[in-house]
Amino acid sequence: MEKRNKLSNARRSVLKQPGVIYTVRCPGTHCDCSHFGVDCRRGFFSLWIQAIYGRFFANKLDISSYIDFGDKPYLYSDPVKYDGDLNFWNYYYSQQVDQHQGRIVPNNYIENYPLRIWKRSHFKKVHRSAVKDLVLKDQIRAYVRLLSERCRRYHTLGVHIRGSDHSVEVETVPLERYFRILDKNLKKYEKFFISTDDSKALTLLIKEFGEDRIISQEAVRSENDQAIHTNMQHPDRYRLGLQVLADCYALSVCQAAVLVHSNVSYAVLLLNPKMRYTLLESSRSRRSRLRTGALYTLDRWGIRKM
Ligand SMILES: [Zn+2]
């Protein structure tokens, strides 16, 4: 029987053919697009983590990789702005590999499912192999830096609050918990950087702690429980991606962070694996995190079977 963490010989020989470019896309399986078939509805950092895991996977096999979020429309695709190009990854990052110069082998679902494993050793390993050498496009880097510099200039606590549709995926953390933590940290930090898709949460925090203390981005936020990225009334898809990307990079340069069970929070730790952080979670989320961690360890030891 195959070990879960081990590639089959057939797959390995496909991947190790000369000139293979391991191509990372939404694999369809376990995604809305496998049911509806047209566009991929996943959030930016769900895809980002998958892209990073894809790079990590390819690097381990010592083969080239290419991120191709352009095989169909994604929520961040902005073909009008980008001359027909659907691949939103290329709006933000430069890629060294030209996908037309090799033999394309698409990823499959199990190889880089964006599983969140909350282990320092895992963050470090993935960061070293697949995150450290990402290259932001010049104008993107300039935008990201502007926000990051505002956080870096002070002793700043980064705070990620995931609102809108998040309660569908995990139990949300009540806002009162954030208030208590921020109250406790008023003396320790000069500023709180608030990254949130929830416009009400931001307004309440500004009211409570004052405009001077809060750093936040001018951004499109949700007024209700619909996620911003699935709301097609926002025509500027490129900007939605840019804003969530800048939030994540800015969180990663704060002195410490308050995080939740979300892909943005998780990506912060892949960008900065040394980050000091507090994870706010319900007891159910905690159990599920510990379980995932344990299964991951068993997988690595090759104990768990398919
Ligand atoms: Zn999809």
Side-chain angles (χ1 to χ4, degrees):
M1 199 187 246
E2 292 286 345
K3 298 266 168 52
R4 201 182 146 91
N5 65 333
K6 201 162 172 283
L7 273 181
S8 73
N9 288 335
R11 181 67 174 161
R12 181 180 293 272
S13 63
V14 167
L15 290 167
K16 291 298 263 181
Q17 290 173 98
V20 159
I21 298 177
Y22 185 68
T23 304
V24 181
R25 301 168 173 163
C26 168
T29 325
H30 292 246
C31 179
D32 288 352
C33 51
S34 67
H35 305 295
F36 307 112
V38 194
D39 56 348
C40 180
R41 314 280 296 164
R42 278 165 60 200
F44 191 95
F45 274 99
S46 168
L47 292 161
W48 189 92
I49 295 168
Q50 189 200 327
I52 298 306
Y53 283 1
R55 285 164 55 85
F56 182 60
F57 177 86
N59 288 345
K60 265 202 297 200
L61 286 169
D62 202 17
I63 57 177
S64 304
S65 60
Y66 183 81
I67 312 305
D68 179 24
F69 293 141
D71 56 314
K72 57 190 159 194
Y74 289 73
L75 289 177
Y76 304 90
S77 297
D78 210 330
V80 178
K81 191 177 169 79
Y82 283 94
D83 201 22
D85 186 5
L86 293 172
N87 187 0
F88 72 86
W89 188 265
N90 289 343
Y91 309 165
Y92 309 107
Y93 291 105
S94 299
Q95 302 200 64
Q96 270 71 46
V97 170
D98 178 354
Q99 68 166 335
H100 304 295
Q101 296 296 314
R103 192 196 302 248
I104 292 173
V105 178
N107 61 182
N108 67 34
Y109 158 72
I110 198 79
E111 285 161 0
N112 36 54
Y113 181 75
L115 196 62
R116 298 194 295 254
I117 296 138
W118 298 85
K119 281 186 194 294
R120 204 55 94 169
S121 57
H122 178 73
F123 306 145
K124 283 186 182 157
K125 207 168 51 184
V126 176
H127 174 85
R128 249 195 327 266
S129 159
V131 180
K132 203 175 62 186
D133 58 353
L134 286 175
V135 181
L136 286 170
K137 294 260 164 94
D138 287 346
Q139 77 274 22
I140 305 298
R141 194 178 321 121
Y143 183 93
V144 165
R145 191 177 286 163
L146 219 59
L147 185 64
S148 295
E149 285 305 319
R150 286 174 66 198
C151 297
R152 233 192 288 242
R153 208 175 301 147
Y154 304 96
H155 210 63
T156 303
L157 177 65
V159 182
H160 181 53
I161 306 172
R162 180 71 169 84
S164 70
D165 66 331
H166 198 225
S167 57
V168 179
E169 193 198 340
V170 294
E171 272 178 83
T172 43
V173 175
L175 212 50
E176 295 76 57
R177 258 183 100 179
Y178 287 97
F179 276 92
R180 278 204 300 277
I181 289 191
L182 298 192
D183 267 332
K184 261 196 255 167
N185 283 288
L186 274 169
K187 289 221 176 77
K188 204 164 162 197
Y189 294 95
E190 295 168 277
K191 301 273 184 187
F192 299 137
F193 168 60
I194 309 295
S195 155
T196 184
D197 57 346
D198 183 338
S199 101
K200 256 185 281 175
L202 181 60
T203 310
L204 284 171
L205 287 168
I206 291 174
K207 216 168 137 193
E208 178 70 20
F209 297 102
E211 218 161 331
D212 283 351
R213 185 171 290 264
I214 306 280
I215 300 173
S216 69
Q217 196 183 172
E218 278 292 332
V220 181
R221 297 177 212 279
S222 182
E223 305 287 338
N224 51 38
D225 56 6
Q226 184 181 6
I228 277 297
H229 58 281
T230 57
N231 185 344
M232 297 315 278
Q233 277 170 345
H234 302 292
D236 197 344
R237 310 311 297 177
Y238 151 78
R239 189 151 296 277
L240 292 185
L242 180 64
Q243 287 170 349
V244 72
L245 191 70
D247 259 10
C248 190
Y249 274 81
L251 282 168
S252 80
V253 303
C254 291
Q255 264 74 45
V258 178
L259 303 176
V260 290
H261 281 277
S262 82
N263 291 318
V264 174
S265 277
Y266 193 75
V268 170
L269 299 169
L270 295 181
L271 285 170
N272 178 8
K274 291 183 182 155
M275 185 92 210
R276 282 192 298 127
Y277 70 95
T278 305
L279 181 63
L280 296 187
E281 58 187 352
S282 67
S283 51
R284 197 163 69 192
S285 305
R286 180 165 187 277
R287 277 198 300 277
S288 131
R289 170 171 62 82
L290 295 176
R291 195 170 150 266
T292 308
L295 292 179
Y296 166 76
T297 305
L298 292 178
D299 263 358
R300 287 192 50 209
W301 293 343
I303 291 170
R304 194 164 157 233
K305 302 279 169 71
M306 278 296 255

